[in-house]
Amino acid sequence: MTAVGAPTLLDEVDRRVRELAAPSGAHPVQAAAAGAVAGGKLLRPRLVLLAAGEGADRAAAVEAAAAIELLHAALLVHDDVIDGDDERRGRPSVAFAATQTATAAGLAPAEARRLGLTTAIVAGDALLVRALAALARLELPHPVRARIIDVVERAMVHAAEGEHDDVLLAGTAPEEDVIERVLEGKTADYSFRAPLEIGALLGGRSEQALAALGAIGLRLGVIYQLRDDVLGVFGDETVTGKSALSDIRAGAPTLLSALASRDPAWQSVAAHYGDRVADEGAAARVRQVMRGSGALEAVERRIAEAVDAVRAMIAGAPIEQSARDGLAELLERCAERER
């Protein structure tokens, strides 16, 4: 089974994702959940398949990869509720779409908004349950399935902690070690470390390979999130599919904002960072300071240094060359992506 370079295998995963999310009844929550899985890049399934390699059972690898994509979709739905985002993947977020539907049906604005948020929360819950059920049903030896569930449990708890701390620290300028801890928890573990570890378990890899892939995944996830933080402020909305005002309005505690806040010029825009109604003019002033302070350049330098470090980790990992090549390709994508 060739993983990353096998579009037919990814096609199988994509079909299985849609099958797992497909409505089993006519309730609008089920329709919302099904709609939330559309348009993904299938990055996490790619990681599962890549780490699984030739040694994995094809059906189990496809099922596990699809389940991880469902977990990701669920967390995005909940993240949009937490951040108050109206757009995801170039389309209305689940909460916003449900709010619009309720408004069109005649509900008062406050009630429509409440119903929209409720729809998103429970649709995300439904996706989470279906993903976990799919993992629990994997036809694998019990010890392997149990370890996969343990990995998912750890990663999801870390994601919850990271999401909480991201909101708690909004508008502040945390130390860099705190920012890295949030990045590892909120994104890197469930999005990169866990998929690679799950793939390694499916493929029957050695404990040394499992540890190496997990370490690579954690570093890879931090790179991905650093790039995401840059795109969240400087990205092209028509390419990223999400607002370039969201992080500014939320006062996201990123390395970019923390480094910029050390410059005296930050005081002229500090009130905009975390202002829920900041407009494009305010955002442009924030971006100007982030550039002028050298913060953007410093983050780009950190990304480049981290890429070099992960490249060395990949080269030394006890895995076959084709897996190293696949990881190296994904590393470059994560660092240089535009969406």
Side-chain angles (χ1 to χ4, degrees):
M1 178 177 66
T2 303
V4 173
T8 55
L9 195 56
L10 281 175
D11 287 344
E12 286 185 42
V13 173
D14 187 41
R15 283 195 299 271
R16 188 58 185 145
V17 168
R18 287 183 275 111
E19 288 171 359
L20 288 172
S24 58
H27 199 284
V29 167
Q30 298 214 39
V37 304
K41 297 186 287 289
L42 299 180
L43 172 59
R44 289 142 200 92
R46 286 175 182 267
L47 290 165
V48 172
L49 299 177
L50 189 155
E54 299 287 346
D57 175 81
R58 185 183 185 97
V62 167
E63 190 75 0
I68 295 303
E69 184 67 10
L70 241 62
L71 287 177
H72 173 58
L75 292 186
L76 292 185
V77 172
H78 286 167
D79 189 61
D80 288 341
V81 171
I82 293 167
D83 293 344
D85 286 341
D86 293 339
E87 189 176 11
R88 170 66 65 179
R89 294 171 174 170
R91 305 187 310 168
S93 65
V94 172
F96 187 60
T99 300
Q100 289 180 311
T101 299
T103 300
L107 268 68
E111 287 302 307
R113 178 65 174 161
R114 182 184 178 199
L115 183 58
L117 293 173
T118 300
T119 301
I121 291 169
V122 296
D125 291 344
L127 289 171
L128 282 173
V129 169
R130 285 180 168 167
L132 293 173
L135 291 170
R137 289 193 297 261
L138 287 173
E139 294 185 5
L140 295 168
H142 174 72
V144 177
R145 188 170 61 248
R147 289 191 71 179
I148 288 174
I149 297 298
D150 287 345
V151 166
V152 172
E153 179 185 15
R154 179 206 69 217
M156 295 299 287
V157 170
H158 285 170
E161 293 172 345
E163 192 73 69
H164 170 275
D165 291 351
D166 192 54
V167 174
L168 176 68
L169 297 169
T172 70
E175 295 298 322
E176 291 182 27
D177 62 328
V178 175
I179 293 171
E180 180 146 332
R181 188 192 72 222
V182 173
L183 296 183
E184 290 180 356
K186 182 183 177 183
T187 302
D189 197 341
Y190 97 84
S191 278
F192 290 86
R193 180 186 178 188
L196 285 174
E197 289 176 338
I198 290 167
L201 290 166
L202 288 166
R205 293 191 185 273
S206 68
E207 292 297 323
Q208 292 79 9
L210 177 66
L213 287 167
I216 289 167
L218 207 56
R219 296 299 95 212
L220 192 57
V222 170
I223 291 169
Y224 183 93
Q225 190 58 50
L226 287 174
R227 174 58 63 205
D228 201 62
D229 291 342
V230 171
L231 292 175
V233 176
F234 292 96
D236 182 344
E237 293 183 4
T238 63
V239 177
T240 63
K242 57 184 179 181
S243 170
L245 290 172
S246 179
D247 281 3
I248 292 172
R249 287 174 172 172
T254 65
L255 181 60
L256 185 61
S257 65
L259 294 176
S261 71
R262 297 174 183 174
D263 191 285
W266 183 255
Q267 293 307 311
S268 66
V269 299
H272 299 319
Y273 203 74
D275 178 3
R276 284 289 179 181
V277 294
D279 58 15
E280 184 51 47
R285 291 189 285 276
V286 171
R287 294 186 193 109
Q288 183 177 15
V289 172
M290 285 179 167
R291 284 195 182 95
S293 66
L296 177 59
E297 182 181 358
V299 172
E300 291 290 355
R301 187 165 57 249
R302 297 289 181 87
I303 291 173
E305 291 169 354
V307 167
D308 288 341
V310 175
R311 195 177 287 123
M313 293 172 71
I314 293 171
I319 54 179
E320 66 276 10
Q321 187 59 46
S322 60
R324 290 196 195 97
D325 292 343
L327 283 171
E329 178 187 345
L330 287 173
L331 170 62
E332 300 304 326
R333 289 188 189 181
C334 288
E336 302 300 332
R337 68 195 176 92
E338 297 181 353
R339 61 180 289 262

